[in-house]
Amino acid sequence: MSKHPSRAIGLPTIQRLPLYLRILREVRGEGVQSISTTRLSEALQVQPIMVRKDLAVTGVVGRPRIGYQVEELIDHIERFIGWRDTSSAFLVGVGNLGTALLGYRGFEENGLHIVAAFDTDTKKIGSSIHGRSVFSLDRLTDLVPRMRVRIGILTVPAACAQETADRMVAAGICAIWNFTPVFLEVPPDVIHHQENLASSLAVLSTRLRMQLDPA
Amino acid sequence: MSKHPSRAIGLPTIQRLPLYLRILREVRGEGVQSISTTRLSEALQVQPIMVRKDLAVTGVVGRPRIGYQVEELIDHIERFIGWRDTSSAFLVGVGNLGTALLGYRGFEENGLHIVAAFDTDTKKIGSSIHGRSVFSLDRLTDLVPRMRVRIGILTVPAACAQETADRMVAAGICAIWNFTPVFLEVPPDVIHHQENLASSLAVLSTRLRMQLDPA
DNA sequence: TAGATTGTTAATCGATTAACAATC
DNA sequence: TAGATTGTTAATCGATTAACAATC
């Protein structure tokens, strides 16, 4: 029961943990029992010391000469991230992106279960998309507490992002995963995490521009 | 014609540039002519000094007391990122995510034009999705040079990610935007940028876990 | 002019990397 | 035992923030 230092875990570290997890699950599938940071660092193309530093935040302990027990390491990472037991989520906004996320398999293996979707379009309400019912947005207030859902995935058009977020908050959602390009204002106790394709594209575009036109 | 220091622009800076751009386009639409870093920093909830540092990399020059010319600033940011003239891209893998990206409007305004899609599924080949034709993957080698496409968007299943990336590279693609969770091996002159939903989810999940169970 | 804002130079902070003792 | 690997402590590097002179 290692007590983590409780505060100030770096964001980069948290972002790398799922990358290790993916490799670990892969080698577990191959029957590998233990693994060294050297091996992990090769797969991810980072320095071994960084891997050790990252893994340390989960409280896992390795053995010199041997490395880490794969099973134990997976367990520690999953616990640290909060992926050990599945969280339920609602998805609001069944457009292109919303539909795609409903069909995405990767969430389940990372402890996220989208239990239902919401929209304001009467043509969509009552239908079922990738096995999940689409409810009227009006039902949110009712269903969030009843189904004890804490996570809301926001995939509505930018124009109604803030308004929809407000409704999520009012319904009792604890964390909003925001796929719109809008900077939301939410109360300080509500977790807000924004996904930003434009930022990501900018990295790609800038590199490409620099390669073609170094100046 | 300010010459940027050419090397070592921080990644965080590049990722923030599109965020400024979004605000700037918004205020331009309202007829605003000039804007201060104070104003921008409020909209994005970052420090004003960071905004000035970020904008400086684009070579734009502001005026004390006034701020920056909105139009000029937009122009500089777009040029820096390489969004001034549109780049053509191919999308490979027309599953859930691929389909959603084909329907996403945001790319066009950020200088990315997806001109066609590719797949190996004969049921999809020959069809049209969100206005773009779906070709057989075999046509990639032929069409990349012919249409002078430099960017490839990879949305195939994880199992065939590396193989498909290899075909992109062989066809002459310069930059791969990888939406699979696979760490690709590509030649050093090929730009590779990986999108990772799991990393992003981990940030949200960890915060939620820490809020519920601080220890 | 007075004062708000830019842009530069220095200080702080955090993340990555290096060095090395401990250990199986 | 010898040697590979962990984990800790120190050094480096880069990004953010602070201070302040320059300027419109």
Side-chain angles (χ1 to χ4, degrees):
Chain A
M1 301 306 104
S2 63
K3 49 183 80 139
H4 347 109
S6 174
R7 218 45 320 267
I9 308 290
L11 207 66
T13 293
I14 295 172
Q15 291 173 319
R16 280 189 298 265
L17 290 176
L19 312 186
Y20 304 129
L21 198 52
R22 189 184 143 78
I23 307 287
L24 290 165
R25 286 170 173 166
E26 207 171 293
V27 301
R28 175 175 62 179
E30 294 160 5
V32 175
Q33 304 248 326
S34 62
I35 192 168
S36 70
T37 51
T38 317
R39 173 80 195 282
L40 276 171
S41 74
E42 281 163 6
L44 269 84
Q45 298 168 35
V46 298
Q47 301 295 320
I49 175 69
M50 182 177 280
V51 179
R52 281 206 294 284
K53 273 276 159 71
D54 284 343
L55 300 184
V57 307
T58 69
V60 76
V61 176
R63 281 195 295 171
R65 187 83 215 269
I66 313 279
Y68 301 83
Q69 292 304 109
V70 172
E71 196 60 50
E72 193 191 340
L73 188 45
I74 290 175
D75 188 72
H76 271 80
I77 295 177
E78 286 181 347
R79 269 179 214 286
F80 181 83
I81 303 182
W83 284 355
R84 202 58 226 219
D85 28 37
T86 302
S87 300
S88 296
F90 280 160
L91 181 143
V92 182
V94 190
N96 280 317
L97 184 59
T99 304
L101 293 183
L102 283 173
Y104 181 58
R105 304 287 171 76
F107 290 142
E108 296 291 333
E109 69 197 36
N110 292 334
L112 188 76
H113 181 55
I114 306 177
V115 291
F118 296 82
D119 208 299
T120 52
D121 184 342
T122 48
K123 272 176 258 152
K124 288 170 184 164
I125 295 167
S127 72
S128 171
I129 295 179
H130 293 296
R132 261 67 56 94
S133 299
V134 180
F135 295 104
S136 162
L137 186 55
D138 297 326
R139 306 268 337 255
L140 198 68
T141 324
D142 165 30
L143 288 172
V144 167
R146 210 165 89 189
M147 298 186 73
R148 298 160 155 273
V149 169
R150 289 196 300 258
I151 300 174
I153 302 174
L154 189 66
T155 49
V156 299
C160 51
Q162 181 64 57
E163 184 199 328
T164 311
D166 292 343
R167 294 181 75 159
M168 282 180 169
V169 171
I173 284 289
C174 306
I176 297 176
W177 198 3
N178 176 16
F179 283 81
T180 80
V182 177
F183 296 89
L184 299 178
E185 300 204 9
V186 296
D189 60 316
V190 172
I191 294 161
H192 171 226
H193 185 61
Q194 189 167 11
E195 206 58 39
N196 205 318
L197 270 196
S199 287
S200 193
L201 176 59
V203 174
L204 187 80
S205 303
T206 305
R207 285 196 196 143
L208 196 58
R209 202 265 298 143
M210 284 181 162
Q211 194 174 71
L212 300 171
D213 144 51
Chain B
M1 298 307 103
S2 64
K3 50 183 77 141
H4 346 108
S6 174
R7 213 55 307 274
I9 309 289
L11 207 66
T13 294
I14 296 173
Q15 290 173 321
R16 279 188 299 264
L17 290 176
L19 311 185
Y20 304 129
L21 198 52
R22 189 184 145 79
I23 307 287
L24 290 165
R25 286 171 173 166
E26 208 170 293
V27 302
R28 175 174 62 180
E30 293 160 5
V32 175
Q33 304 247 324
S34 62
I35 192 167
S36 69
T37 51
T38 317
R39 173 82 196 282
L40 275 171
S41 74
E42 280 162 8
L44 271 84
Q45 298 169 35
V46 298
Q47 302 294 318
I49 175 68
M50 184 178 279
V51 179
R52 280 206 295 285
K53 275 275 159 73
D54 285 345
L55 300 184
V57 308
T58 69
V60 76
V61 175
R63 279 195 297 171
R65 188 82 215 270
I66 314 278
Y68 301 82
Q69 293 304 111
V70 171
E71 196 60 51
E72 194 191 338
L73 188 45
I74 290 175
D75 188 72
H76 271 80
I77 295 177
E78 286 181 347
R79 270 180 214 285
F80 181 84
I81 303 182
W83 284 355
R84 201 59 226 215
D85 28 38
T86 301
S87 300
S88 296
F90 280 160
L91 181 144
V92 182
V94 190
N96 280 316
L97 183 60
T99 304
L101 294 182
L102 283 173
Y104 181 58
R105 303 288 171 75
F107 290 141
E108 295 292 332
E109 69 197 34
N110 291 335
L112 188 75
H113 181 56
I114 306 178
V115 291
F118 295 81
D119 207 300
T120 53
D121 185 343
T122 49
K123 271 175 257 152
K124 290 169 184 163
I125 295 166
S127 71
S128 170
I129 295 180
H130 293 297
R132 262 66 57 94
S133 299
V134 180
F135 295 104
S136 162
L137 187 54
D138 296 325
R139 307 267 335 255
L140 198 68
T141 324
D142 166 29
L143 289 172
V144 167
R146 211 164 88 189
M147 299 187 72
R148 297 159 155 274
V149 169
R150 287 197 302 257
I151 299 174
I153 301 173
L154 189 65
T155 48
V156 298
C160 50
Q162 181 62 57
E163 184 198 330
T164 311
D166 292 343
R167 293 181 76 159
M168 282 181 168
V169 171
I173 285 290
C174 304
I176 296 176
W177 198 2
N178 175 18
F179 284 81
T180 79
V182 177
F183 297 90
L184 298 178
E185 301 202 10
V186 296
D189 60 317
V190 173
I191 292 162
H192 170 226
H193 185 60
Q194 189 167 11
E195 207 58 38
N196 206 319
L197 270 195
S199 287
S200 194
L201 176 59
V203 174
L204 187 81
S205 304
T206 305
R207 285 196 196 142
L208 197 58
R209 202 265 299 144
M210 282 180 163
Q211 195 174 71
L212 300 172
D213 144 52

